[in-house]
Amino acid sequence: MRSTNTFSILIWQYAQRANANNEANLYARISLNGKKANISLKKKLNVNSWDSKKQRAKGTKASVRYLNEYLEEVRMDIFQLYRELKAAHGLVTVEKIKSHYLGENQKVRYLSEVFEFHNETNKEKLAPKTLCHYRTNQKYVLEFIKEQYNKNDYPLHELDYPFLLRLESFLRAYDPKKHYRKSIANNAVMKHIQRFRKQIKLAVELDWLKDDPFKKFTPKMEKRQREFLTEEELKSIVHLEIACERLEIVKDLFLFSCYTGIPYGDIIQLTHKNLVIGIDGNKWITAKRNKNGVPYELPLLDVPLSLVNKYFGHARTKATGTLLPKISNQKLNSYLKEIADLCKIKKNLTFHMARHTFATTVTLSNGVPIETVSKMLGHTKLATTQIYARVIEKKVSNDMQLLRSKLKKSKYPTKKEARPK
């Protein structure tokens, strides 16, 4: 005698328990051979907006469409679970289907496990500084959990959209007093959210988390103009006479970056092995970016070439085996403030400004194509170079002057030579 299973899924609303706003919870009811089990969907909806016959929300708004899509996903997931359990030839019950759907039969995973797995599997892939950024991000998230939920950790399956909104608010209001730093700006907050998102994506790919809580979250980056030195400001540093060796080394490292675009972290790792004879017979630098491992090649201009020659055989470079002397980044930026004062530069002079200066003042404003600049900077995307490089007024003026000359030689009449009516 053959037995048949009667299986059905009903999406329903518990209207009798509506709250003060006339909102009631939505449930999925599993029925199998006369047995029933309800699963709370953690969703509320106004009683008047629910269509009990169609088992879906009324309306065409985006929020309504999203809810109905979610309800359809729930229905499909439950049905798929039923088929899988049935195919396994085991005893299928509504309790077993519910347990599998809620993940009660699986190990509960926590955020700290994701962080540990991420750090362990990426320690050889990411640059030390990048991995340090991730550790800082993880520290902030755990501080947020402690403050918001009074917990030392957080289960993955409880992550949701409100969690992300609260995390964003926490980062924006983060108290920097203990850290002796400025408050976290918008783009820095978004960077932390992006790093956290990558780690949550990893949890989804590992099947530690069923739904991605970032589905509805959109990072909002603010477009910012990168500061750079003008040609006059750059010349003032080039011609600055310094008697103090400490400041002279800082000046030379900064100028090397201004005329090569190489960031501090890469400069201090350059050795004579990175100095090669290029295709044009001149000396080039060839290396890989410490940040992302992307190779870059660039011919040395007169200023950086003179600095390489200056420090060849120098006591500091002989001790380290590097092209240029080493100095800590923290001290470097501190000493740059002194150089800015001596040159009467009002801008907040930081070492990374040298990279912006190379992209904008040294190369693009002198007609070097942006594709060439991008290759020399070691960028993988042209869009990244466009953020760094801004066409300055002088370049616009020169380009328009060239256009004027071309128009004068063309058949277009000038104002004095206007055609008769």
Side-chain angles (χ1 to χ4, degrees):
M1 182 177 178
R2 189 179 65 175
S3 62
T4 57
N5 290 328
T6 56
F7 175 75
S8 65
I9 304 165
L10 172 71
I11 308 296
W12 64 287
Q13 186 180 45
Y14 205 157
Q16 291 83 348
R17 291 193 176 179
N19 60 20
N21 296 323
N22 202 32
E23 294 175 333
N25 289 319
L26 296 175
Y27 292 84
R29 177 176 293 161
I30 309 168
S31 299
L32 178 62
N33 299 331
K35 303 290 184 180
K36 298 178 181 179
N38 289 317
I39 300 174
S40 174
L41 303 182
K42 310 294 183 185
K43 302 284 184 183
K44 287 182 182 292
L45 183 70
N46 190 287
V47 172
N48 297 324
S49 299
W50 180 248
D51 189 328
S52 57
K53 290 184 178 180
K54 295 182 178 180
Q55 300 177 41
R56 56 191 289 118
K58 302 174 184 176
T60 57
K61 291 183 179 179
S63 58
V64 172
R65 290 200 305 272
Y66 179 82
L67 175 61
N68 285 333
E69 287 172 5
Y70 168 73
L71 296 178
E72 189 59 32
E73 286 178 12
V74 169
R75 190 189 300 275
M76 290 174 64
D77 288 345
I78 294 174
F79 183 72
Q80 183 62 28
L81 271 176
Y82 166 69
R83 292 184 63 181
E84 290 173 0
L85 291 171
K86 187 178 177 183
H89 304 292
L91 176 65
V92 184
T93 65
V94 289
E95 290 81 10
K96 184 177 285 190
I97 297 171
K98 179 178 178 179
S99 175
H100 275 72
Y101 181 80
L102 296 176
E104 293 172 351
N105 61 317
Q106 299 174 0
K107 178 184 176 182
V108 176
R109 298 282 185 175
Y110 287 83
L111 269 175
S112 61
E113 294 180 74
V114 182
F115 294 160
E116 289 172 11
F117 187 87
H118 172 273
N119 296 345
E120 180 63 28
T121 54
N122 283 283
K123 63 183 179 182
E124 302 299 332
K125 300 177 185 177
L126 300 177
K129 189 175 181 181
T130 304
L131 193 57
C132 182
H133 287 323
Y134 275 100
R135 291 188 189 280
T136 301
N137 172 254
Q138 293 158 7
K139 178 174 75 74
Y140 285 167
V141 172
L142 292 175
E143 283 184 26
F144 158 70
I145 292 168
K146 185 66 177 176
E147 181 179 303
Q148 181 72 35
Y149 303 99
N150 196 27
K151 297 178 180 179
N152 294 322
D153 211 339
Y154 202 81
L156 287 178
H157 69 271
E158 291 185 18
L159 287 176
D160 54 15
Y161 183 58
F163 179 97
L164 300 178
L165 295 180
R166 293 189 186 104
L167 175 61
E168 181 187 358
S169 297
F170 170 82
L171 291 172
R172 291 188 185 282
Y174 189 77
D175 185 3
K177 292 178 182 177
K178 298 178 182 178
H179 305 272
Y180 305 101
R181 59 188 295 284
K182 294 180 180 179
S183 58
I184 305 177
N186 176 80
N187 287 4
V189 169
M190 291 299 106
K191 278 289 184 183
H192 277 296
I193 296 292
Q194 286 176 354
R195 291 185 189 108
F196 184 54
R197 184 174 199 163
K198 286 182 180 178
Q199 294 169 90
I200 297 306
K201 182 182 177 183
L202 175 62
V204 173
E205 291 169 349
L206 290 168
D207 291 326
W208 290 1
L209 180 63
K210 184 179 179 182
D211 293 316
D212 184 359
F214 278 96
K215 274 195 246 180
K216 291 166 57 178
F217 190 93
T218 305
K220 297 176 181 177
M221 302 290 284
E222 294 176 355
K223 290 186 178 180
R224 295 173 58 191
Q225 294 288 2
R226 304 297 178 103
E227 271 205 308
F228 60 94
L229 294 179
T230 63
E231 186 177 350
E232 291 72 23
E233 290 167 336
L234 181 57
K235 284 181 179 179
S236 70
I237 297 179
V238 171
H239 298 305
L240 178 66
E241 295 291 338
I242 299 177
C244 172
E245 185 187 25
R246 164 179 61 87
L247 287 183
E248 185 181 10
I249 291 174
V250 171
K251 169 195 166 183
D252 290 344
L253 289 172
F254 183 77
L255 288 177
F256 188 87
S257 183
C258 283
Y259 285 94
T260 61
I262 304 176
Y264 163 79
D266 293 343
I267 287 177
I268 60 171
Q269 292 184 351
L270 292 176
T271 68
H272 286 279
K273 290 181 179 179
N274 300 115
L275 199 60
V276 300
I277 301 301
I279 193 172
D280 56 2
N282 296 314
K283 288 186 177 179
W284 287 47
I285 290 288
T286 176
K288 289 183 179 181
R289 285 294 311 278
N290 182 45
K291 182 179 180 180
N292 52 25
V294 175
Y296 66 90
E297 298 175 334
L298 59 93
L300 287 178
L301 299 172
D302 290 343
V303 172
L305 184 58
S306 67
L307 292 173
V308 169
N309 293 332
K310 176 180 177 179
Y311 287 100
F312 181 77
H314 191 278
R316 282 178 175 254
T317 55
K318 283 178 72 174
T320 58
T322 54
L323 277 182
L324 299 170
K326 285 188 176 183
I327 187 170
S328 75
N329 195 21
Q330 186 178 6
K331 288 181 179 179
L332 196 65
N333 282 313
S334 175
Y335 297 156
L336 278 174
K337 304 295 184 288
E338 296 182 47
I339 291 176
D341 291 338
L342 291 172
C343 294
K344 297 181 180 179
I345 296 174
K346 303 299 182 183
K347 295 172 182 173
N348 180 29
L349 197 61
T350 62
F351 200 88
H352 205 63
M353 193 184 289
R355 191 162 162 84
H356 307 324
T357 301
F358 173 76
T360 307
T361 306
V362 175
T363 55
L364 281 179
S365 63
N366 285 307
V368 179
I370 193 168
E371 294 83 3
T372 303
V373 177
S374 183
K375 184 173 178 60
M376 289 191 292
L377 289 173
H379 288 162
T380 56
K381 296 179 181 178
L382 195 62
T384 308
T385 314
Q386 289 169 334
I387 294 171
Y388 275 90
R390 186 177 74 185
V391 179
I392 56 179
E393 291 177 358
K394 180 183 175 182
K395 180 69 168 59
V396 174
S397 176
N398 291 342
D399 289 345
M400 291 305 292
Q401 187 60 43
L402 183 63
L403 178 61
R404 286 191 192 96
S405 299
K406 288 182 177 179
L407 290 176
K408 282 181 180 180
K409 294 176 182 178
S410 70
K411 296 180 181 180
Y412 289 97
T414 62
K415 190 174 181 181
K416 292 181 180 179
E417 300 168 345
R419 295 170 182 168
K421 295 180 181 178

